[in-house]
Amino acid sequence: MAETETLENFVDGAWVRPEGRDLLDVPDPSSGALIARVPRSGASEVDAAVRAARRAFGSWREVPVVERARHVLALRALLEAHAEELARTVVRENGKTLDEARGSVRRGIEATEFAAAAPTTLQGSFLEDVSRGVDTTLLRQPVGVVAGITPFNFPVMIPLWMAPLALVCGNTFVLKPSERVPRSASLLARWVAEAGFPAGTFNLVHGDAAAVDALLTHPGVDAVSFVGSAPTARHIYTTAAAHGKRVQALAGAKNYLIVMPDAELARSVPAIVSSAFGQSGERCLAGSVVVAVEPGADRLVEQLSRAVSALVTGPANASGTEVGPVIRPEHRDRVLQWIRDGERLGARVVARGSVPPGSAGYYVPPVLFDGVRPEMPIAQEEIFGPVLSVIRVASLDEAIEVANRSRYGNAAAIFTRDGRSAREFTHRIEAGMLGVNIGVPAPAAFFPFVGWKGSFYGDLHATGRDAVEFYTRKKVVTTRWF
Ligand code: NAD
């Protein structure tokens, strides 16, 4: 891909350049250098993609599931062969480090592998003699045209949570990727086409909110899979549902890590630091608040401070970088404002890393706050940057109570050597993805990605069997033979 290429949409099996649309710059967050331009598609480009998907749906749904799964396997092989190219594209446009990018591509490949199991996962059920001589069969059929709307923080993985599974279930698909990381999506479209999916089954429309709103209200779209921030998720959920569509909307997060006095700090501290500062904190599973149960908080804060001060912030592609840039200058400024607000409201900065001097990239120094109170905005709001807050409490009960006050409920973790504490935590915490001595409790692709409370709008979650249910409609057939 040429360095400042203007990206195109992929509609009905062909690359097309939207006519007369504004272009948005796509900078490399590590340096600020321009790497691509992306069109802001509007209603007419969305309409063309949805129509292509509708046309393709009629014949695609008739393709036997084993053949659809073979296309998924071909895609999987292409992703594997180009994994390094994908990872390096993610590094360049998203700013995560190469290791982080490789890991995220791997997770995307795993989601594709799960999709290939469709001949098994799509199976229905049958019950003989529900009444004398009467049998009942449950079938799963595709929903129709699915729109996937994705965030900037996992440019390859999240589209791969959606598209392979939606397609293998017999749906056709329109992807509207984040306009901040569009090159990864263009590469994915190329491999999907090469994998032999027929024209119109997978379509890519670049753009921003205008393209999204056209998808949400288009009568040809049957279902919407969304991942992004909480305000957008609420808008997606209410608008798409009001237009009669099935919706799953994965939203923002604020994840609490409870550290018990008996935690093994030698291994817990690196896990906590990597959870909070990995990917510059731009992860929906990032630990954002440590709830330190006394006694022992002093020792924990001291070890965390040492680790945070030692973090190396720098360009995503430089060897030795542990914390890359954040996605945009506006986002950097917002995170810096959160840090200033935290200090103003009385939280204490006990460690502050450095940023590369003189760089035009979008860097935020890693910051550790102590003396944070549960009601402070830095303990409540999603910051999505390299900032970790410590709240000190007297007991596990109080720690769970503090964590459960959050309006979000994506992930939570406990660090302890005590099975009873871990059991209490998993039973009572109000979050969907839990870690016991794990800082980033990301479910494997064959389990659902189960945010709770304000971290999710909908009924059926992404990935795993929930996603198979989301991408299919059930039919129940009751049969009697005279
Ligand atoms: P975002 O909400 O800004 O954008 C997500 C998508 O929505 C993009 O494709 C964007 O073009 C579109 N969009 C943005 N504003 C819109 C509007 N007003 N109307 C219609 N469409 C709009 O999110 P982001 O900044 O790209 O991603 C980061 C957020 O995603 C964080 O809040 C993070 O927690 C969340 N996230 C959640 C999960 C999860 O599983 N719950 C996973 C990854 C990211």
Coordinates of all heavy atoms in Angstrom, one line a residue, residues 149-154 158 161 176-180 207-209 212-213 226-230 232 235-236 250-253 283-284 382 384 410 449 455, ligand 1:
I149 N -19.7 -2.2 12.9 CA -19.1 -0.8 13.1 C -18.1 -1.0 14.2 O -18.4 -1.4 15.3 CB -20.2 0.2 13.5 CG1 -21.3 0.2 12.4 CG2 -19.7 1.5 13.8 CD1 -22.6 0.7 12.9
T150 N -16.8 -0.6 13.9 CA -15.7 -1.0 14.8 C -14.9 0.2 15.3 O -14.9 1.2 14.6 CB -14.8 -2.1 14.1 OG1 -14.4 -1.5 12.8 CG2 -15.6 -3.4 13.9
P151 N -14.2 0.0 16.4 CA -13.5 1.1 17.1 C -12.0 1.1 16.6 O -11.6 0.2 15.9 CB -13.5 0.7 18.5 CG -13.5 -0.8 18.5 CD -14.2 -1.2 17.3
F152 N -11.3 2.1 17.1 CA -9.9 2.3 16.6 C -8.9 1.3 17.3 O -7.8 1.1 16.9 CB -9.4 3.7 16.8 CG -9.0 4.1 18.2 CD1 -7.7 3.7 18.7 CD2 -9.9 4.7 19.1 CE1 -7.3 4.0 20.0 CE2 -9.5 4.9 20.4 CZ -8.2 4.6 20.8
N153 N -9.3 0.8 18.5 CA -8.3 0.2 19.3 C -7.9 -1.2 19.0 O -6.8 -1.7 19.4 CB -8.6 0.4 20.8 CG -9.8 -0.4 21.3 OD1 -10.7 -0.7 20.4 ND2 -9.8 -0.8 22.5
F154 N -8.7 -1.9 18.2 CA -8.3 -3.3 17.7 C -8.7 -3.3 16.2 O -9.7 -3.9 15.8 CB -9.0 -4.4 18.5 CG -8.3 -4.6 19.8 CD1 -8.9 -4.0 21.0 CD2 -7.2 -5.3 19.9 CE1 -8.2 -4.2 22.2 CE2 -6.5 -5.5 21.2 CZ -7.1 -5.0 22.3
I158 N -11.2 -6.8 16.0 CA -12.7 -6.7 16.2 C -13.4 -6.9 14.9 O -14.4 -7.6 14.9 CB -13.0 -5.3 16.9 CG1 -12.5 -5.5 18.4 CG2 -14.5 -5.0 16.9 CD1 -12.7 -4.3 19.3
W161 N -13.8 -10.5 14.8 CA -14.8 -11.1 15.7 C -16.1 -11.2 14.9 O -16.9 -12.1 15.2 CB -15.1 -10.1 16.9 CG -14.2 -10.1 18.0 CD1 -13.1 -10.8 18.2 CD2 -14.3 -9.3 19.2 NE1 -12.5 -10.5 19.4 CE2 -13.3 -9.5 20.0 CE3 -15.3 -8.3 19.6 CZ2 -13.1 -8.9 21.3 CZ3 -15.1 -7.7 20.8 CH2 -14.0 -8.0 21.6
K176 N -18.0 -1.0 8.5 CA -17.7 0.4 8.6 C -16.6 0.5 9.7 O -16.9 0.6 10.9 CB -18.9 1.3 8.9 CG -18.8 2.7 8.5 CD -17.6 3.5 9.0 CE -17.7 3.9 10.4 NZ -16.5 4.5 11.0
P177 N -15.3 0.4 9.3 CA -14.3 0.4 10.3 C -14.1 1.8 10.9 O -14.5 2.8 10.3 CB -13.1 0.0 9.5 CG -13.3 0.5 8.2 CD -14.8 0.4 7.9
S178 N -13.3 1.9 11.9 CA -12.9 3.2 12.5 C -12.1 4.0 11.4 O -11.2 3.5 10.8 CB -12.1 3.1 13.7 OG -11.5 4.3 14.1
E179 N -12.5 5.3 11.2 CA -11.8 6.1 10.3 C -10.4 6.5 10.8 O -9.6 7.1 10.0 CB -12.7 7.4 10.0 CG -12.8 8.4 11.2 CD -13.9 8.0 12.2 OE1 -14.3 6.8 12.2 OE2 -14.3 8.8 13.0
R180 N -10.1 6.1 12.0 CA -8.8 6.4 12.5 C -7.8 5.3 12.2 O -6.6 5.5 12.3 CB -8.9 6.7 14.0 CG -9.7 8.0 14.3 CD -9.7 8.5 15.7 NE -10.7 7.8 16.5 CZ -11.0 8.0 17.7 NH1 -10.3 9.0 18.4 NH2 -11.9 7.4 18.4
G207 N -15.5 5.7 6.5 CA -16.2 6.9 6.8 C -16.4 7.1 8.3 O -15.7 6.4 9.1
D208 N -17.2 8.1 8.7 CA -17.4 8.4 10.1 C -18.8 8.3 10.5 O -19.6 7.5 10.0 CB -16.7 9.7 10.5 CG -17.2 10.8 9.6 OD1 -18.2 10.7 9.0 OD2 -16.5 11.9 9.7
A209 N -19.3 9.2 11.4 CA -20.6 9.1 11.9 C -21.7 9.1 10.8 O -22.7 8.5 10.9 CB -20.9 10.2 12.9
V212 N -22.2 5.7 9.5 CA -22.8 4.9 10.5 C -24.3 5.2 10.6 O -25.2 4.3 10.6 CB -22.2 5.2 11.9 CG1 -23.0 4.5 13.0 CG2 -20.7 4.7 11.9
D213 N -24.7 6.5 10.6 CA -26.1 6.8 10.7 C -26.9 6.3 9.5 O -28.0 5.9 9.6 CB -26.3 8.3 10.9 CG -25.8 8.7 12.3 OD1 -25.8 7.8 13.2 OD2 -25.5 9.9 12.6
F226 N -21.8 -3.6 17.0 CA -21.1 -2.4 17.2 C -20.1 -2.6 18.4 O -20.4 -3.2 19.4 CB -22.0 -1.2 17.6 CG -21.2 0.0 18.1 CD1 -20.7 0.9 17.2 CD2 -21.1 0.2 19.4 CE1 -20.0 2.0 17.6 CE2 -20.4 1.4 19.9 CZ -19.8 2.2 19.0
V227 N -18.9 -2.0 18.3 CA -18.0 -1.9 19.4 C -17.4 -0.5 19.4 O -16.9 -0.1 18.4 CB -16.8 -3.0 19.3 CG1 -15.9 -2.9 20.5 CG2 -17.4 -4.4 19.2
G228 N -17.5 0.2 20.5 CA -16.9 1.5 20.6 C -17.2 2.1 22.0 O -17.5 1.4 23.0
S229 N -17.2 3.5 22.0 CA -17.4 4.1 23.3 C -18.9 4.1 23.8 O -19.8 3.9 23.0 CB -16.9 5.6 23.1 OG -17.7 6.2 22.2
A230 N -19.1 4.4 25.0 CA -20.4 4.3 25.6 C -21.4 5.3 25.0 O -22.5 4.8 24.7 CB -20.3 4.5 27.1
T232 N -21.5 6.5 22.0 CA -21.8 6.0 20.6 C -22.7 4.8 20.7 O -23.6 4.6 20.0 CB -20.6 5.8 19.8 OG1 -19.6 6.9 20.0 CG2 -20.9 5.7 18.3
H235 N -26.2 5.5 21.3 CA -26.8 6.0 20.1 C -27.1 4.9 19.1 O -28.2 4.8 18.5 CB -25.9 7.1 19.5 CG -26.2 7.5 18.1 ND1 -27.4 8.1 17.8 CD2 -25.5 7.3 16.9 CE1 -27.4 8.4 16.4 NE2 -26.3 7.9 15.9
I236 N -26.2 4.0 19.0 CA -26.3 2.9 18.0 C -27.5 2.0 18.5 O -28.3 1.6 17.6 CB -25.0 2.0 18.0 CG1 -23.8 2.8 17.6 CG2 -25.2 0.7 17.2 CD1 -23.6 3.1 16.1
L250 N -21.3 -3.1 22.1 CA -20.3 -3.2 23.2 C -19.7 -1.8 23.4 O -19.3 -1.1 22.5 CB -19.1 -4.2 22.7 CG -19.5 -5.7 22.8 CD1 -20.5 -6.0 21.7 CD2 -18.2 -6.5 22.6
A251 N -19.6 -1.4 24.7 CA -19.4 0.0 25.0 C -18.1 0.1 25.9 O -17.3 -0.8 26.0 CB -20.6 0.6 25.7
G252 N -18.0 1.3 26.5 CA -16.8 1.7 27.3 C -16.7 0.9 28.6 O -17.5 0.0 28.9
A253 N -15.6 1.2 29.3 CA -15.3 0.4 30.5 C -14.6 1.2 31.5 O -14.0 2.3 31.3 CB -14.5 -0.8 30.1
R283 N -7.4 0.0 26.0 CA -8.0 -1.3 25.9 C -9.3 -1.3 26.7 O -9.3 -0.8 27.8 CB -7.1 -2.4 26.5 CG -6.2 -3.0 25.5 CD -5.5 -4.3 26.0 NE -4.8 -4.0 27.2 CZ -3.5 -4.6 27.4 NH1 -3.0 -5.3 26.5 NH2 -2.9 -4.3 28.5
C284 N -10.4 -1.9 26.2 CA -11.6 -2.0 27.0 C -11.5 -2.9 28.2 O -12.3 -2.9 29.1 CB -12.8 -2.4 26.1 SG -12.7 -4.1 25.6
E382 N -14.1 6.6 32.1 CA -13.1 5.9 31.3 C -12.1 6.9 30.8 O -12.5 7.9 30.2 CB -13.8 5.2 30.1 CG -12.8 4.5 29.2 CD -13.5 3.7 28.1 OE1 -14.3 4.3 27.4 OE2 -13.2 2.5 28.0
F384 N -9.0 5.9 29.2 CA -8.5 5.3 27.9 C -7.1 5.8 27.6 O -6.8 6.2 26.5 CB -9.4 5.6 26.7 CG -9.7 4.3 25.9 CD1 -10.1 3.1 26.5 CD2 -9.5 4.3 24.5 CE1 -10.4 2.0 25.8 CE2 -9.7 3.1 23.8 CZ -10.2 2.0 24.4
N410 N -17.4 -4.1 32.6 CA -16.7 -4.9 31.5 C -15.9 -6.0 32.2 O -16.2 -7.2 32.1 CB -15.9 -4.1 30.6 CG -16.0 -4.4 29.2 OD1 -17.1 -4.9 28.7 ND2 -15.0 -4.3 28.4
F449 N -17.9 -12.4 24.8 CA -17.2 -11.2 25.4 C -18.3 -10.4 26.1 O -19.0 -9.6 25.6 CB -16.7 -10.4 24.2 CG -15.5 -9.5 24.6 CD1 -14.2 -10.0 24.5 CD2 -15.7 -8.2 25.0 CE1 -13.1 -9.2 24.9 CE2 -14.7 -7.4 25.4 CZ -13.4 -7.9 25.3
S455 N -21.4 -1.3 30.1 CA -20.4 -1.7 29.1 C -21.0 -2.5 27.9 O -20.3 -2.9 27.0 CB -19.3 -2.6 29.8 OG -18.6 -1.8 30.7
Ligands
NAD1 P1 -16.0 5.5 19.1 O1 -17.3 5.3 19.8 O2 -15.5 6.9 19.0 O3 -16.1 5.0 17.6 C1 -16.5 3.7 17.3 C2 -17.1 3.7 15.9 O4 -18.3 4.5 15.9 C3 -16.3 4.2 14.8 O5 -16.4 3.4 13.7 C4 -16.8 5.6 14.6 O6 -16.6 6.0 13.3 C5 -18.2 5.5 15.0 N1 -18.8 6.7 15.6 C6 -18.1 7.6 16.4 N2 -18.9 8.6 16.8 C7 -20.1 8.3 16.2 C8 -21.4 9.0 16.3 N3 -21.6 10.1 17.0 N4 -22.4 8.5 15.6 C9 -22.3 7.4 14.9 N5 -21.1 6.7 14.8 C10 -20.0 7.2 15.5 O7 -15.0 4.6 19.8 P2 -13.4 4.5 19.6 O8 -12.8 5.7 20.3 O9 -13.1 4.2 18.2 O10 -13.1 3.2 20.5 C11 -12.7 3.3 21.9 C12 -13.9 2.9 22.7 O11 -14.3 1.6 22.4 C13 -13.6 2.9 24.2 O12 -14.6 3.5 24.9 C14 -13.5 1.4 24.5 O13 -13.8 1.0 25.9 C15 -14.5 0.9 23.6 N6 -14.3 -0.6 23.3 C16 -15.1 -1.4 23.9 C17 -14.9 -2.8 23.8 C18 -15.8 -3.8 24.4 O14 -15.7 -4.9 24.2 N7 -16.7 -3.3 25.3 C19 -13.9 -3.2 22.9 C20 -13.1 -2.3 22.3 C21 -13.3 -1.0 22.5

